[in-house]
Amino acid sequence: MNKMRCIKYLQTVFLTGVFLLQSMAAQTKPDALVLYRQGDYAQAVKICEQEIIDMPRNLDSYSVLCWSLIGNRQYSEAEQRAQEGLKVNAYDIRLIEVLGEAKYYLGKNAAALEQFEKYIDNAPDDASRIGTCYYYMGEIYIRQGRYQHADIAFTAAVKKEPLLDRWWARLGYAREMAHNYYESMAAYEESLKLNPSGVDARRGKDRVSTRLQ
């Protein structure tokens, strides 16, 4: 009996040790999302690539991978990996949005708009990237010279995230290009309230002031 108890005790000690080692390994394993948020995009990419090798259907890894590739300005790679992730789940809104970003930076305006619209249509109202989607849509409309559309998109963007001075400045620019000078002035002034040293907003306000004189 004593021998059996001794064996069971040793087994318990062994299993406890294995569990502790596994826990310590998990705690010391680099977190790709943390690295991405810290701006260490290259290292985050490496970790996500390995995670996808280990778990090919891990959509969290695909998402952080694509965000990191965008952060590292590897837009073609981000486009490719987002498309691969969407083959696993075509409705993952994170990959839908980041695919739009990749296409935006690659100059694929129509395709990018399609992705951003798909994200907005399928994401909940409190989704974190809705404002960002509207912002990119506004930038695309400016590229296309569709300034009224840009006004609508940027207005939706600043409604979602009203504390981003650059977004207000771009709204002011869209309105300026559409010759809506009073509304443009209001947007530039809002941008300057948030960032009094904003160069684009200051120059835009000066241009509009000249127009209104």
Side-chain angles (χ1 to χ4, degrees), residues 7 13 38 56 69 114 136 166 187 189:
I7 291 172
V13 170
Q38 292 173 345
L69 288 168
E114 181 181 350
Y136 281 120
R166 173 168 172 75
E189 288 178 343

Side-chain angles (χ1 to χ4, degrees), residues 6-212:
C6 182
I7 291 172
K8 288 181 179 180
Y9 173 76
L10 291 173
Q11 289 176 333
T12 301
V13 170
F14 174 76
L15 292 173
T16 300
V18 170
F19 174 76
L20 289 173
L21 288 172
Q22 290 175 337
S23 298
M24 290 172 63
Q27 291 172 3
T28 58
K29 181 183 177 181
D31 189 315
L33 182 58
V34 171
L35 290 168
Y36 162 74
R37 288 172 174 166
Q38 292 173 345
D40 192 349
Y41 304 127
Q43 187 61 28
V45 167
K46 289 181 181 179
I47 293 170
C48 290
E49 293 282 15
Q50 185 58 52
E51 289 175 349
I52 291 170
I53 291 172
D54 296 337
M55 298 180 63
R57 300 180 66 83
N58 188 337
L59 293 174
D60 291 339
S61 295
Y62 269 109
S63 298
V64 179
L65 170 62
C66 293
W67 296 337
S68 300
L69 288 168
I70 293 288
N72 215 33
R73 301 184 180 183
Q74 296 174 254
Y75 306 126
S76 294
E77 293 88 339
E79 179 185 39
Q80 177 185 344
R81 299 315 296 268
Q83 289 170 336
E84 290 174 7
L86 287 168
K87 290 179 181 178
V88 177
N89 181 355
Y91 302 100
D92 190 291
I93 58 173
R94 299 167 300 178
L95 293 174
I96 289 171
E97 190 278 330
V98 78
L99 179 57
E101 288 192 41
K103 290 182 180 295
Y104 166 82
Y105 285 111
L106 291 169
K108 300 178 180 180
N109 295 328
L113 279 174
E114 181 181 350
Q115 292 302 127
F116 294 137
E117 289 168 354
K118 187 182 297 185
Y119 178 88
I120 291 167
D121 289 343
N122 289 280
D125 290 339
D126 60 349
S128 62
R129 304 292 286 180
I130 287 183
T132 300
C133 284
Y134 280 123
Y135 167 76
Y136 281 120
M137 291 172 71
E139 292 290 357
I140 291 171
Y141 289 134
I142 284 180
R143 288 177 179 177
Q144 297 174 336
R146 301 163 68 186
Y147 300 116
Q148 296 287 2
H149 285 74
D151 182 344
I152 294 169
F154 285 130
T155 297
V158 298
K159 184 177 180 180
K160 287 291 182 180
E161 299 191 45
L163 300 180
L164 297 178
D165 63 283
R166 173 168 172 75
W167 291 13
W168 281 102
R170 297 303 283 166
L171 172 58
Y173 181 76
R175 290 173 172 178
E176 180 186 353
M177 293 297 100
H179 308 299
N180 298 325
Y181 297 122
Y182 289 102
E183 294 86 349
S184 174
M185 177 66 78
Y188 283 137
E189 288 178 343
E190 188 63 35
S191 178
L192 289 167
K193 286 180 185 178
L194 295 168
N195 179 15
S197 61
V199 175
D200 290 340
R202 175 61 59 191
R203 290 175 177 171
K205 182 179 178 181
D206 290 344
R207 289 193 305 270
V208 172
S209 294
T210 300
R211 290 280 187 178
L212 292 175

